[in-house]
Amino acid sequence: MNIKLSSLLKEVARINPDHALGLEKLSIKNVNDLLHHFPTRYADMREIVDTNTLSKGQAITIYGVMEKVSVRRSFKGHIPMTEARVADNTGVIRCVWFNQAYIGKMYPDGTRVKISGVIQEDSKGFLLSNPNIERATTTVPESAESLFASTTDTSFLTPIYRETKGVSSLYLYTLIKKVIAGGVLDEVIDPIPEYITKKLSLPTLKDALMYIHFPKKESLTIAARKRFAFEEIFYLQLKQYKEKVEAKHSLAYPITVNKKDTQEFIKSFPFKPTDAQLSAIDSILKDLSRKEPMGRLLEGDVGSGKTFVAAVVSHAVLQNRAPNGQSLQIAYMAPTEILAKQHFESFIKYFTGTGVEIGLLTSAGCAKFPSKSDASNHTPISRTQLLKWLADGRVSIVVGTHSLIQKTIQFSNLALIIIDEQHRFGVRQRKALASKKGETRKELPHLLSMTATPIPRTLALTIFGDLDLTVIDTMPEERKKIITEIVPSTKRTETYEKIRKELIAGHQVYVICPRIDEQDEEEAQKRILKSVKEEAKRLSDDIFPEFVVDILHSKMKKEEKEEVMQDFLDKKSDILVATSVIEVGINVPNATVIIIEHADRFGLAQLHQLRGRVGRREYQSYCYLFTESKGEITQTRLKALVNAKNGFELAEADMMARGIGMLMDGKQWGMSDLAMEAIKNPKLVEVARTEARELLDEEGELRRYPDLMKIIEDREKVHME
Ligand code: ADP
Ligand code: MG
């Protein structure tokens, strides 16, 4: 039969229901998916049959799963030690860590880890003593070299794939062999222009697929991986740059900035803007004065005052009118309803007396400022009414959540979209939001995207290649530095007493329990829930019985979450025990303490962002990093946080040490494990970026490269869903 890349697997092989389920879990539907399911490493088959072929003194690196973890004291009774077995699909190796009882807690049974060390031998056989251990956030090894078992004789090597229940590496390998034997590679056309693969000495797609699944020579397989890493970044860059060009070629509402007006408006604020805020405003207003639509990403730590920037920019825009004489409009999207409400209230403060009418659009209800009867207040209105006023242009600023504003709203002249903490908002979405029923607007709205996630440069260049970047790198001066302390278990009690003083003074406290990294989503969720609930119970029963404790976790429904947050904001609760769901932009200025349990389990950038939940006013605030780990690495890492000025250095460090998974969910960006790994390599990103830009500048529509065009278009579609 004639096998095509697009053929469904069930058309080309007999697949039993168990296998079908497993393949689905691995997102393998057609032949192309299968061929792009790359090995995570290569193992010496001889190892699989007999672990005794390991030899004493051999240096090995294993990706596997922790089993039978136990913490005890050594036979002499004074050295605490962790024992465990690490299993991969080639076998099992015994591991011992002396003086590192915390390893047992940090890496419980079932944790995916990467360990490396030198094989030793004792009376019970081979073991690894004090091997290096780290959480395997992705299954992809860091360097191409470590892909290979230590043998150099590749003729014995077999690819090891990411597996799932019912679908083993061997099964996948056999299936791949089968489709390739069926001649599918003859059909493979390389979407990447030949001149690029030649120039960069990368194998063609067809060769690369052979090299990666059938390791004949280490150098070839490494070259194949390089190609696929390049390919991913290249496609991403191409798509982003295409968007950028498309935006630049669109028409924008022309904005004339009146400097004097803007300065007057800035003066009306109760504080003096920071230089960083002023320079951000300056770049944004320059963008707006151009003929092309703006596309800018504003990055700044939590509390750096991005809302102020958004307000000044909005004000400048609203000094202009549409060509048809009507007033211009602005949509401001927040990640949660509470934040939408907070932004609405801030904007009312800022725009009182300017005559600007502002709407709030949430699923819980709508409101408008000013109210007819009270010019300094807002009033609830019906959704229908608000939609009508947006359609006829009477309301010029509408604040809402991401999801609400994306749907079915009609604007009369939407000139600017401001979006908080949602990273991706493409040209198509901008167009769709600005369009009226049955009619596409000529003008593409300006876009100001804002985020507090510190994003390292290589990552920003790739996933935000379509946006220009502005960073607010300083905080308002009057803000007190948050006192950050690393708290070992011996100091818990005394720390709780310090916290009690804050509570008695009427302030509020966050307690964060770690996210638990586990492959099994459901299991992980259950455990998170348990730890949040248990901790809340412990705090309210034993430690702070005189205060109200509430909980917040990711398993709760959106409305439930909003309700809990609202209660905390209204001070109906004093202590909020939560998972890291509170990371995104919530603002409770009365909260002055954040406790982070198992602080060592979090990425530094994430800790930094969590810490930003407090210190939002002039009050002195505190961040307590609770940790049982006394390891030097933990201490050094956490100390970096105590001393850090901003999130960027931390993000960079995190990305290098622990991968992009620590910063954000790469999958959400259509990034494979391979791409996430590749982004750490600035040279590769730079080359892919240059090639993508040159190609698009030269070719415009990519008509000569239909396969490439199709890939890019398919990716655009995925993001629209
Ligand atoms: P972000 O959105 O960047 O996290 P916000 O815009 O919510 O930060 O600002 C946090 C708080 O700081 C707000 O209460 C705001 O009024 C205040 N603020 C903003 N800029 C300044 C400034 N330059 N000086 C003092 N306070 C400021
Ligand atoms: Mg904000």
Side-chain angles (χ1 to χ4, degrees):
M1 93 165 260
N2 187 7
I3 300 182
K4 288 204 165 74
L5 280 174
S6 58
S7 305
L8 294 176
L9 285 182
K10 59 179 184 216
E11 296 165 2
V12 302
R14 208 173 307 134
I15 294 183
N16 74 33
D18 277 354
H19 287 151
L21 218 69
L23 288 167
E24 196 185 304
K25 238 188 168 168
L26 294 170
S27 307
I28 302 176
K29 286 192 215 80
N30 61 24
V31 172
N32 192 50
D33 299 335
L34 178 70
L35 292 178
H36 280 81
H37 189 72
F38 299 143
T40 52
R41 66 183 201 101
Y42 301 88
D44 190 332
M45 273 312 262
R46 294 166 303 180
E47 254 180 76
I48 301 176
V49 208
D50 183 2
T51 36
N52 288 327
T53 58
L54 293 175
S55 53
K56 202 172 153 183
Q58 187 183 350
I60 59 163
T61 294
I62 297 176
Y63 283 75
V65 175
M66 294 287 275
E67 284 180 357
K68 303 204 169 147
V69 179
S70 73
V71 179
R72 57 183 187 88
R73 298 211 164 251
S74 71
F75 57 96
K76 280 189 194 128
H78 22 255
I79 304 176
M81 56 190 269
T82 301
E83 279 186 315
R85 302 173 2 140
V86 173
D88 72 359
N89 44 351
T90 73
V92 167
I93 180 93
R94 199 154 50 89
C95 301
V96 191
W97 290 271
F98 294 101
N99 263 325
Q100 296 174 76
Y102 73 91
I103 285 193
K105 300 206 187 76
M106 260 180 87
Y107 306 98
D109 275 8
T111 315
R112 289 189 149 261
V113 294
K114 173 189 172 189
I115 53 167
S116 43
V118 175
I119 301 278
Q120 298 181 7
E121 200 172 4
D122 68 5
S123 55
K124 284 184 259 170
F126 289 132
L127 81 158
L128 289 170
S129 168
N130 291 335
N132 283 326
I133 180 164
E134 59 189 85
R135 206 167 279 272
T137 44
T138 76
T139 44
V140 181
E142 263 123 56
S143 73
E145 287 74 34
S146 65
L147 282 169
F148 293 92
S150 53
T151 171
T152 45
D153 181 1
T154 46
S155 58
F156 287 99
L157 289 185
T158 304
I160 303 296
Y161 297 92
R162 192 152 53 84
E163 306 178 324
T164 186
K165 213 171 145 200
V167 175
S168 68
S169 267
L170 191 63
Y171 176 80
L172 288 163
Y173 182 62
T174 316
L175 207 56
I176 289 169
K177 259 204 333 223
K178 186 179 157 108
V179 301
I180 289 184
V184 70
L185 290 187
D186 298 335
E187 198 217 333
V188 167
I189 297 167
D190 196 342
I192 299 185
E194 199 185 332
Y195 79 87
I196 294 181
T197 43
K198 280 229 170 93
K199 181 157 112 195
L200 303 176
S201 312
L202 294 170
T204 63
L205 179 54
K206 187 175 162 180
D207 288 345
L209 284 169
M210 282 303 285
Y211 300 156
I212 206 157
H213 293 296
F214 307 104
K216 284 277 169 328
K217 236 169 119 184
E218 191 172 317
S219 60
L220 292 181
T221 306
I222 290 174
R225 286 194 91 81
K226 236 187 227 156
R227 182 219 139 96
F228 288 117
F230 171 83
E231 174 186 300
E232 284 252 14
I233 306 292
F234 178 70
Y235 294 157
L236 274 166
Q237 293 277 359
L238 204 54
K239 185 182 127 218
Q240 302 298 60
Y241 188 56
K242 188 163 166 273
E243 289 245 317
K244 181 167 192 151
V245 172
E246 204 179 324
K248 288 269 179 257
H249 289 166
S250 310
L251 205 69
Y253 285 100
I255 306 290
T256 313
V257 177
N258 182 328
K259 284 219 169 94
K260 232 178 108 216
D261 276 358
T262 301
Q263 269 159 11
E264 284 299 311
F265 185 66
I266 291 176
K267 277 203 200 112
S268 74
F269 283 77
F271 49 75
K272 204 171 147 280
T274 62
D275 288 347
Q277 282 172 317
L278 289 177
S279 100
I281 290 170
D282 200 47
S283 336
I284 295 167
L285 294 183
K286 272 204 189 105
D287 285 356
L288 291 175
S289 316
R290 298 206 178 92
K291 286 205 184 69
E292 312 118 32
M294 167 173 81
R296 194 166 277 277
L297 177 70
L298 181 63
E299 261 190 283
D301 270 355
V302 170
S304 60
K306 296 183 291 293
T307 317
F308 165 76
V309 174
V312 173
V313 171
S314 302
H315 178 268
V317 166
L318 295 183
Q319 302 310 104
N320 293 262
R321 292 205 156 251
N324 63 10
Q326 283 181 315
S327 77
L328 295 180
Q329 289 173 304
I330 296 168
Y332 190 165
M333 306 190 221
T336 66
E337 307 224 324
I338 295 172
L339 274 169
K341 242 188 270 170
Q342 286 186 341
H343 291 334
F344 178 60
E345 277 156 16
S346 305
F347 266 54
I348 290 174
K349 256 192 278 164
Y350 305 157
F351 283 91
T352 298
T354 60
V356 169
E357 307 209 358
I358 309 173
L360 172 71
L361 187 79
T362 75
S363 60
C366 299
K368 188 189 82 96
F369 169 86
S371 136
K372 237 190 232 149
S373 51
D374 178 357
S376 63
N377 233 325
H378 59 87
T379 183
I381 58 169
S382 74
R383 187 182 166 88
T384 324
Q385 185 61 64
L386 180 57
L387 292 184
K388 193 172 151 278
W389 281 338
L390 285 170
D392 70 17
R394 168 165 173 181
V395 166
S396 2
I397 303 178
V398 63
V399 188
T401 56
H402 298 151
S403 57
L404 275 173
I405 298 199
Q406 283 173 34
K407 281 179 211 150
T408 64
I409 303 187
Q410 313 258 311
F411 291 91
S412 76
N413 289 289
L414 181 62
L416 170 66
I417 298 168
I418 301 171
I419 183 157
D420 210 358
E421 292 302 342
Q422 171 174 313
H423 303 313
R424 189 78 206 117
F425 202 74
V427 169
R428 287 179 192 207
Q429 283 159 298
R430 274 157 89 177
K431 272 197 184 135
L433 190 55
S435 301
K436 295 186 189 176
K437 215 173 259 150
E439 166 204 350
T440 323
R441 278 226 82 101
K442 300 190 300 294
E443 295 89 353
L444 185 71
H446 299 285
L447 174 71
L448 177 62
S449 179
M450 307 197 292
T451 179
T453 311
I455 302 155
R457 195 183 129 78
T458 48
L459 186 58
L461 283 182
T462 306
I463 56 185
F464 300 120
D466 57 332
L467 301 179
D468 299 314
L469 186 67
T470 301
V471 176
I472 303 186
D473 54 6
T474 50
M475 299 292 264
E477 269 167 34
E478 65 204 48
R479 211 68 54 76
K480 289 207 180 74
K481 195 167 186 267
I482 300 166
I483 296 176
T484 305
E485 269 179 42
I486 304 170
V487 184
S489 39
T490 48
K491 288 210 173 145
R492 237 172 217 269
T493 319
E494 123 193 17
T495 306
Y496 281 139
E497 288 320 308
K498 281 197 241 169
I499 293 169
R500 193 185 312 280
K501 288 204 187 98
E502 285 295 306
L503 285 162
I504 291 170
H507 293 306
Q508 287 161 285
V509 175
Y510 293 107
V511 179
I512 309 299
C513 297
R515 184 182 66 159
I516 298 167
D517 278 318
E518 256 167 308
Q519 290 304 101
D520 187 343
E521 184 89 13
E522 227 166 280
E523 194 52 36
Q525 288 290 358
K526 269 191 229 147
R527 291 188 42 183
I528 291 169
L529 198 59
K530 191 159 156 252
S531 68
V532 168
K533 279 187 177 158
E534 273 172 2
E535 184 61 15
K537 187 167 177 336
R538 196 177 70 84
L539 289 173
S540 77
D541 287 357
D542 307 340
I543 319 269
F544 298 117
E546 70 273 42
F547 296 103
V548 180
V549 181
D550 207 348
I551 62 172
L552 184 72
H553 56 80
S554 44
K555 205 65 198 256
M556 284 157 77
K557 287 211 191 73
K558 205 163 172 269
E559 302 82 63
E560 288 176 311
K561 280 190 216 162
E562 298 262 355
E563 205 182 310
V564 170
M565 276 318 307
Q566 190 64 51
D567 285 351
F568 193 58
L569 195 59
D570 298 340
K571 212 173 170 296
K572 287 187 190 147
S573 54
D574 304 297
I575 300 171
L576 187 63
V577 183
T579 52
S580 46
V581 288
I582 63 146
E583 243 173 289
V584 178
I586 195 61
N587 188 4
V588 182
N590 190 50
T592 55
V593 176
I594 186 162
I595 296 176
I596 300 169
E597 291 286 347
H598 294 286
D600 43 294
R601 288 204 193 168
F602 290 88
L604 288 178
Q606 203 187 4
L607 287 172
H608 178 73
Q609 269 192 296
L610 285 166
R611 177 172 58 180
R613 294 298 120 220
V614 297
R616 307 201 40 109
R617 254 216 213 130
E618 64 281 8
Y619 315 128
Q620 178 60 57
S621 294
Y622 306 85
C623 171
Y624 296 111
L625 306 169
F626 282 17
T627 174
E628 244 101 89
S629 158
K630 291 196 189 66
E632 206 172 308
I633 297 174
T634 307
Q635 295 293 324
T636 318
R637 278 186 71 231
L638 295 183
K639 272 192 193 125
L641 187 77
V642 175
N643 300 323
K645 286 224 168 49
N646 63 53
F648 291 92
E649 352 165 356
L650 295 173
E652 191 87 31
D654 260 359
M655 180 175 85
M656 286 313 190
R658 311 228 263 169
I660 289 172
M662 289 312 291
L663 294 178
M664 55 173 65
D665 178 9
K667 296 264 156 37
Q668 202 186 313
W669 295 90
M671 266 194 276
S672 70
D673 291 349
L674 197 64
M676 291 204 271
E677 206 50 45
I679 273 187
K680 286 188 195 170
N681 179 348
K683 231 160 131 192
L684 183 110
V685 171
E686 205 53 57
V687 170
R689 184 174 150 90
T690 310
E691 291 304 333
R693 295 194 161 213
E694 279 177 6
L695 177 67
L696 215 56
D697 285 343
E698 197 84 357
E699 294 287 329
E701 300 283 298
L702 293 177
R703 277 209 193 85
R704 289 204 295 157
Y705 301 97
D707 300 288
L708 196 52
M709 191 158 76
K710 188 167 176 315
I711 287 174
I712 308 303
E713 277 170 2
D714 286 350
R715 284 172 173 246
E716 277 167 5
K717 268 186 227 138
V718 170
H719 275 299
M720 279 299 286
E721 279 158 9

